[in-house]
Short mmCIF file of all heavy atoms in Angstrom, two decimals:
data_model
loop_
_atom_site.label_atom_id
_atom_site.label_comp_id
_atom_site.label_asym_id
_atom_site.label_seq_id
_atom_site.Cartn_x
_atom_site.Cartn_y
_atom_site.Cartn_z
N ALA D 14 91.04 95.63 80.08
CA ALA D 14 92.09 94.77 79.48
C ALA D 14 92.82 95.52 78.37
O ALA D 14 92.17 96.26 77.63
CB ALA D 14 91.48 93.48 78.98
N GLY D 15 94.07 95.32 78.33
CA GLY D 15 94.90 95.91 77.25
C GLY D 15 95.61 97.19 77.63
O GLY D 15 96.54 97.59 76.94
N VAL D 16 95.19 97.83 78.73
CA VAL D 16 95.84 99.08 79.08
C VAL D 16 96.99 98.83 80.02
O VAL D 16 97.30 97.69 80.35
CB VAL D 16 94.81 100.05 79.73
CG1 VAL D 16 93.63 100.28 78.79
CG2 VAL D 16 94.34 99.50 81.09
N SER D 17 97.59 99.90 80.46
CA SER D 17 98.82 99.83 81.33
C SER D 17 98.52 100.44 82.66
O SER D 17 97.69 101.34 82.82
CB SER D 17 99.97 100.54 80.66
OG SER D 17 100.28 99.97 79.43
N LEU D 18 99.31 99.97 83.62
CA LEU D 18 99.29 100.57 84.97
C LEU D 18 100.73 100.54 85.47
O LEU D 18 101.48 99.64 85.12
CB LEU D 18 98.44 99.77 85.95
CG LEU D 18 96.96 100.13 86.17
CD1 LEU D 18 96.35 99.24 87.21
CD2 LEU D 18 96.80 101.60 86.57
N ARG D 19 101.04 101.47 86.33
CA ARG D 19 102.36 101.49 86.95
C ARG D 19 102.20 101.50 88.46
O ARG D 19 101.58 102.42 89.01
CB ARG D 19 103.17 102.68 86.50
CG ARG D 19 104.61 102.71 87.01
CD ARG D 19 105.36 103.90 86.48
NE ARG D 19 106.75 103.96 86.91
CZ ARG D 19 107.74 103.35 86.30
NH1 ARG D 19 107.51 102.64 85.19
NH2 ARG D 19 108.98 103.44 86.72
N LEU D 20 102.74 100.48 89.13
CA LEU D 20 102.69 100.42 90.56
C LEU D 20 104.02 100.95 91.09
O LEU D 20 105.07 100.75 90.50
CB LEU D 20 102.49 98.96 91.04
CG LEU D 20 101.24 98.24 90.53
CD1 LEU D 20 101.21 96.82 91.13
CD2 LEU D 20 100.00 99.02 90.78
N SER D 21 103.94 101.58 92.21
CA SER D 21 105.14 102.06 92.88
C SER D 21 105.12 101.62 94.33
O SER D 21 104.06 101.40 94.92
CB SER D 21 105.23 103.59 92.82
OG SER D 21 105.35 104.05 91.52
N CYS D 22 106.32 101.49 94.89
CA CYS D 22 106.47 101.12 96.27
C CYS D 22 107.57 101.96 96.89
O CYS D 22 108.70 102.01 96.36
CB CYS D 22 106.87 99.62 96.39
SG CYS D 22 107.28 99.04 98.04
N ALA D 23 107.24 102.64 97.96
CA ALA D 23 108.22 103.48 98.66
C ALA D 23 108.61 102.81 99.97
O ALA D 23 107.73 102.41 100.76
CB ALA D 23 107.61 104.85 98.97
N ALA D 24 109.89 102.66 100.19
CA ALA D 24 110.40 101.98 101.37
C ALA D 24 110.98 103.00 102.32
O ALA D 24 111.64 103.99 101.94
CB ALA D 24 111.48 101.02 100.99
N SER D 25 110.72 102.76 103.64
CA SER D 25 111.31 103.59 104.66
C SER D 25 111.56 102.73 105.91
O SER D 25 110.92 101.67 106.09
CB SER D 25 110.37 104.76 105.02
OG SER D 25 109.16 104.27 105.51
N GLY D 26 112.49 103.19 106.74
CA GLY D 26 112.76 102.53 107.99
C GLY D 26 113.54 101.23 107.88
O GLY D 26 113.71 100.53 108.91
N LEU D 27 114.06 100.92 106.70
CA LEU D 27 114.83 99.68 106.57
C LEU D 27 116.13 99.78 107.40
O LEU D 27 116.73 100.84 107.46
CB LEU D 27 115.18 99.41 105.09
CG LEU D 27 113.99 99.07 104.18
CD1 LEU D 27 114.41 99.09 102.75
CD2 LEU D 27 113.41 97.71 104.56
N THR D 28 116.56 98.69 107.97
CA THR D 28 117.73 98.70 108.83
C THR D 28 119.01 98.83 108.03
O THR D 28 120.02 99.33 108.54
CB THR D 28 117.78 97.44 109.71
OG1 THR D 28 117.68 96.27 108.88
CG2 THR D 28 116.63 97.43 110.72
N LEU D 29 119.00 98.33 106.81
CA LEU D 29 120.14 98.45 105.90
C LEU D 29 119.84 99.48 104.84
O LEU D 29 118.67 99.85 104.64
CB LEU D 29 120.46 97.10 105.29
CG LEU D 29 120.74 95.92 106.20
CD1 LEU D 29 120.90 94.67 105.37
CD2 LEU D 29 121.98 96.18 107.02
N THR D 30 120.83 99.96 104.18
CA THR D 30 120.57 100.89 103.09
C THR D 30 119.74 100.15 102.02
O THR D 30 119.88 98.91 101.83
CB THR D 30 121.88 101.38 102.46
OG1 THR D 30 121.60 102.33 101.47
CG2 THR D 30 122.69 100.25 101.87
N PHE D 31 118.84 100.89 101.36
CA PHE D 31 117.94 100.30 100.44
C PHE D 31 118.57 99.42 99.37
O PHE D 31 118.07 98.38 98.96
CB PHE D 31 117.13 101.45 99.73
CG PHE D 31 116.08 100.99 98.75
CD1 PHE D 31 114.92 100.34 99.19
CD2 PHE D 31 116.27 101.14 97.39
CE1 PHE D 31 113.94 99.94 98.32
CE2 PHE D 31 115.29 100.76 96.50
CZ PHE D 31 114.14 100.12 96.98
#
Side-chain angles (χ1 to χ4, degrees):
V16 304
S17 300
L18 269 181
R19 185 177 181 87
L20 304 183
S21 295
C22 172
S25 62
L27 293 170
T28 54
L29 303 173
T30 184
F31 182 71

